[in-house]
Every structure is written in C-alpha cells, then in structure tokens.
Amino acid sequence: MNILKSVNAVSACIPGSHASQIHIRNEIRNYFGYFGMPQLYFTANPSATHSTIFQVMCSNTNVNLTKRFPQLVPSRQRALTLAKDPVAATDFFDFSIKCIFKYLFGWDFQKKCSTSEGGILGPLRSFYGIAELTEQANFHGHFLLWLMGGLNPSQLHECLASDEGFKHRFFDFFEDIIHHHLPQNDGINIDPSYEPRIEHPPRPPHPTQALLDELYTWESDFVTQIKICGEALQRHVCRPVCHKYGKDNYCRFLFPHKIIEASYFGLQSKSIVLMCHDSTINYFNPYILVFCRHNHNIKCILSGKAAKAASFYITDYITKMGPKTYEMLSLLSKAVSNMPATDDCSGPAKAKILLHKCLSQFSRQQQIHGQQAARYIRGKGDSMSSHRTKPMMSAILISNVKSIYLPELSQSSVEDQSEDEEFEPISLRIALDQEGHLMTSNQFHYYYYREPTLQ
Ligand SMILES: [Zn+2]
C-alpha cells in the first residue's frame, strides 16, 4: 500500500491516472476557495461526425464553409473518416471549445480574462472544465462557470428573500440564458429525419448596417432555427442508457422534468426553481444551440451542495475506466518480482527503478482511445481551466501548523512527516527569518513570511 501511495504521488502529472483525478479535484477546491461557488454547470458535446468544420480539418477540400448548406459525403463515410483521424478529432474538440469560450462567452485566452463587453452570459470570471471521452469515442466538455459578480448561495438566498427587485432581475437573467422549452411556432413543419448539424448557422445582419426589415427577418429566422435544432438536439427520448446503474424504474437524467409555470424562490426550503414549460427538453441556451449546433446542457447551480456534487461529477468522468485497486496491487507485485537481483546500486537508486517499473507496468496495461492519446500527446491534459493553481504539499502545511500551535508535539510530528516526504521532491532553501536567524525555508514559509506587498 505504501508503494502504491508513492506511485500515485509520482503519477500526479500523468493525465488519466487516479492521482491526476485527485489533483484536479484539489484544483477545483482551490477555485471554490478563491472564486466562491460557481453559478453555472455547462456541458458541450460537439459532434465531429456531423460537423462540416471537422471535414475541412481532415482536409476534405470539397466542403465549402461559406455555403449555408455545404455538400457532405454520407454519414457512414464521415464516421469512417473520424475513426481514421483521431488527431483531427481531438483538434476539432479543442477548436470547438475554444470558439465557444472566445466568441460566445467573450473569453480572452491571451489575457486570461473576460473581454470588456463579455459574452452571452455576461462577463465570465473564471471556468474549470474536464474533457471526457465517451464510450462512443466522442469528446464531451463539462464545465463549472463563475460569473462576474456571482453570489454565494447564502448571500443569494438573502437577497432573494429581502429584495423584490433583485428577485425579478435574477429570474429575468436566468430565464434569458437558460431555456427549458422551444418556441411556439406551429407554422413550421419539421421533417423528423432532418439533420441540422450539417447545416451552417445563418449569419446575423451586421448591427450597424442592418435595416429594420432585415432585423425582423433575422429574428423570425432565429426562432425557426431554435425550433429546428431544439427538436433534433435537445429533446430527450429515454433510451437504455437512461436506466444504467440499476435505475430500472426511472430515467437517471430525471426526465420528464416537472412543469414549472413560473420561476420562484421557496422561502422555507431556500429552493430556487426555474421555469420549465416542456418536460422533455434539456436545459439549453438558444445562442449556443443555433450557432454551435450540437447537444448541450446548461444548468444553474443554486446551492453549495449542488456545486460540490457537480465538482465530483465532473472529476468522476476522467477515471471511469481506470484500474481497480486490487488490479493495481497485482500489477505492482509483478513489478516488484521483476526487480533486478543485483546489489550494486544505492537505496535511492533502487527505489527510483522500482517506481519506474511500477509506473511502466501500469501504463502498459492501460488501454486508451486514439483520440485520448492524441490529446495527451498534444500536451493537453484532462482539464481546461481559466487560471493556474499552485499545489501545496499538505504534509508541509500540517507540520508547520502543528509546530506553531502545538510546539511540544512538533518535534515528533516533523519526524513522522519526514519519512513520507522522502518521495515528494520538496525544494529546501536557506533563508533568514524575521529576527535574522538562519532557517531552512519551504513553500509554507514562502507564503507565511512573504512581504505584504506580494499579496
Ligand atoms: Zn431518459
């Protein structure tokens, strides 16, 4: 078990590993600590098979992206192209996500902040996402979004209870960005077999040159588009996958949803319930739907509990197919028995060889999809986030807190920690403390003693 711990510590940087999952969970906690609770949970499922852009990315020169209805080969052939080119598929996913954040959410990737005008959700403060490859080899992105000026649940409940004007603005905003019904548009006949994903989104008129007539035409076009795309991409029909994990009696995505005539805030239960006029339509944003043309899900996270659940939910995706502990132990025993018998190298060198052997034993047994491999080789890990975090070894922190608050115990606890720390590379530096005495310094000291100006 000790060796397994050490191997996990070493593999924290290896994408897809259990240790990387823990690292991501810690990063998300870090975001919670710094930015507070996220307001939105967003899932995007760009489909490479049906995308005209993907065809161009795998160098199909016959596809003209300036046309509203580009000529495409049949879907079977497109699926074959996708299977043959995992690198293009990975790049397509990355491109799609970047476009959503840049053009729809108004995120400036260079400056790592929202553009001044923001996007369809207003200005974003930060985001944290996970790339998940489904069993059908389709990358999904699951994101937690923090909005500029977003409130923590307790503050929010207070405002909703005491300020009627705030409540109206709050519901107006969320009903505007999250829809749970399609437009009433009885005049349109939609062919159920029509595939809106292969059509390009219509181009809105330029705001400065548009005539009023053009704008009206565009508006009605847009509503028609919401209806067409929504029927094909956002309407939930229960399939066997809904009843996975023993959910025999009900759909695990909780469809059909309960009809809610108007959004409300339950003062007693502190529950915020948004309007829902169509029980089988998945939560969506009309702009994402029409311009990205893929299935997606955008939900408001209205309680601390829901935010925590969402963070666990998204990290669980990464290591769904990881090996079980007993499998890992059996692999480790193989690695240990394969150690060379010679005694001509030092203890630390031997430990290094052992760790290396254990890791390669794991990676040899692991099977990952070509698209996932391409993503890792491209230098993209499991997560996609707006801000970088700095991990801190909890052992250092705890031993320092103990040495400050429990000085009589500190000697023994420091010794206890030092054994564990042998495997974790900590850089020790010599520095002067506040009284001018020489001391060893580590990451904790760096934070504890640093100049107030650096804060
Ligand atoms: Zn279902």
Side-chain angles (χ1 to χ4, degrees):
M1 275 309 202
N2 264 341
I3 211 182
L4 189 60
K5 240 202 246 165
S6 309
V7 171
N8 275 340
V10 178
S11 61
C13 302
I14 300 176
S17 67
H18 179 64
S20 143
Q21 183 193 23
I22 294 172
H23 177 72
I24 286 175
R25 215 168 260 178
N26 285 338
E27 277 202 305
I28 294 177
R29 268 196 211 133
N30 229 324
Y31 271 59
F32 279 21
Y34 192 82
F35 298 115
M37 292 293 146
Q39 285 77 42
L40 294 167
Y41 181 66
F42 169 58
T43 300
N45 309 328
S47 162
T49 327
H50 296 99
S51 167
T52 48
I53 298 168
F54 175 70
Q55 291 301 313
V56 175
M57 289 178 93
C58 42
S59 59
N60 184 344
T61 48
N62 295 325
V63 178
N64 184 348
L65 286 185
T66 61
K67 291 242 162 71
R68 176 87 187 269
F69 299 92
Q71 283 286 314
L72 285 183
V73 292
S75 65
R76 185 180 174 278
Q77 213 166 324
R78 297 201 299 270
L80 286 173
T81 319
L82 171 66
K84 276 189 205 146
D85 201 340
V87 178
T90 302
D91 288 348
F92 167 75
F93 173 72
D94 206 47
F95 176 77
S96 307
I97 296 295
K98 283 232 168 93
C99 286
I100 293 177
F101 275 84
K102 185 173 172 184
Y103 297 107
L104 290 180
F105 295 168
W107 186 258
D108 186 330
F109 279 93
Q110 236 120 44
K111 291 186 183 149
K112 294 186 194 300
C113 62
S114 173
T115 55
S116 53
E117 62 272 23
I120 54 171
L121 309 174
L124 273 191
R125 188 161 177 225
S126 58
F127 62 87
Y128 198 101
I130 297 294
E132 177 219 2
L133 192 74
T134 61
E135 282 160 36
Q136 291 81 35
N138 196 24
F139 265 117
H140 286 191
H142 300 279
F143 292 88
L144 296 171
L145 307 177
W146 283 261
L147 300 176
M148 202 74 87
L151 297 176
N152 273 334
S154 56
Q155 298 166 299
L156 179 62
H157 295 159
E158 227 181 280
C159 290
L160 285 174
S162 62
D163 186 340
E164 202 60 24
F166 176 87
K167 195 167 85 181
H168 279 295
R169 293 197 301 279
F170 176 86
F171 285 133
D172 276 352
F173 175 72
F174 281 101
E175 282 173 8
D176 189 40
I177 61 171
I178 302 174
H179 285 209
H180 206 310
H181 63 278
L182 298 177
Q184 293 293 331
N185 209 334
D186 302 327
I188 318 163
N189 282 324
I190 301 167
D191 174 2
S193 66
Y194 179 67
E195 177 52 81
R197 288 176 288 191
I198 58 171
E199 173 191 335
H200 260 201
R203 194 182 278 265
H206 198 279
T208 55
Q209 294 150 12
L211 301 167
L212 216 48
D213 272 1
E214 267 180 74
L215 277 177
Y216 285 138
T217 320
W218 159 254
E219 233 162 67
S220 94
D221 263 4
F222 187 64
V223 170
T224 312
Q225 284 284 317
I226 297 175
K227 181 89 177 150
I228 292 174
C229 295
E231 282 299 343
L233 302 168
Q234 296 297 127
R235 172 89 54 206
H236 183 86
V237 179
C238 280
R239 286 171 300 147
V241 66
C242 296
H243 304 292
K244 239 165 114 177
Y245 311 119
K247 310 275 194 308
D248 292 336
N249 302 321
Y250 62 96
C251 164
R252 72 186 167 105
F253 304 107
L254 303 176
F255 281 101
H257 291 169
K258 203 174 155 209
I259 295 285
I260 309 288
E261 283 306 329
S263 308
Y264 67 89
F265 172 60
L267 205 56
Q268 293 299 313
S269 55
K270 299 238 183 304
S271 52
I272 300 167
V273 183
L274 291 181
M275 180 175 89
C276 164
H277 287 177
D278 191 329
S279 59
T280 55
I281 285 291
N282 202 358
Y283 305 93
F284 72 98
N285 176 286
Y287 294 99
I288 301 176
L289 180 67
V290 171
F291 291 105
C292 301
R293 311 188 92 74
H294 53 65
N295 165 263
H296 71 280
N297 180 7
I298 183 161
K299 245 190 241 175
C300 188
I301 306 175
L302 303 161
S303 73
K305 229 184 192 169
K308 193 177 165 205
S311 94
F312 273 81
Y313 188 67
I314 73 175
T315 44
D316 277 350
Y317 275 117
I318 325 162
T319 48
K320 249 188 204 161
M321 286 168 284
K324 304 274 173 296
T325 306
Y326 68 89
E327 291 167 334
M328 289 170 79
L329 288 176
S330 110
L331 289 173
L332 280 182
S333 72
K334 255 188 225 165
V336 173
S337 63
N338 283 343
M339 276 294 283
T342 50
D343 251 349
D344 47 345
C345 52
S346 64
K350 252 194 211 161
K352 241 185 202 171
I353 297 175
L354 181 62
L355 282 181
H356 186 81
K357 280 205 176 292
C358 293
L359 271 182
S360 60
Q361 188 72 254
F362 283 163
S363 41
R364 217 176 296 153
Q365 294 291 325
Q366 206 181 10
Q367 290 186 359
I368 62 169
H369 193 274
Q371 286 187 35
Q372 191 91 58
R375 186 173 165 85
Y376 292 158
I377 292 170
R378 279 275 199 244
K380 310 230 154 48
D382 295 310
S383 63
M384 302 163 275
S385 58
S386 57
H387 295 69
R388 287 177 63 182
T389 65
K390 181 94 184 155
M392 177 177 247
M393 295 287 178
S394 51
I396 312 180
L397 180 66
I398 290 166
S399 88
N400 276 289
V401 169
K402 277 186 181 165
S403 74
I404 293 167
Y405 294 104
L406 298 167
E408 68 279 14
L409 292 175
S410 69
Q411 209 44 46
S412 61
S413 60
V414 167
E415 273 161 25
D416 288 349
Q417 299 296 348
S418 63
E419 250 178 73
D420 283 351
E421 285 171 13
E422 244 175 33
F423 300 104
E424 301 170 347
I426 301 166
S427 55
L428 271 182
R429 287 176 308 150
I430 307 290
L432 289 177
D433 71 8
Q434 283 170 329
E435 276 90 45
H437 303 300
L438 266 185
M439 60 178 272
T440 55
S441 111
N442 58 31
Q443 198 187 15
F444 173 80
H445 297 131
Y446 173 70
Y447 281 102
Y448 194 75
Y449 289 118
R450 70 174 167 180
E451 280 280 298
T453 49
L454 290 176
Q455 279 165 3

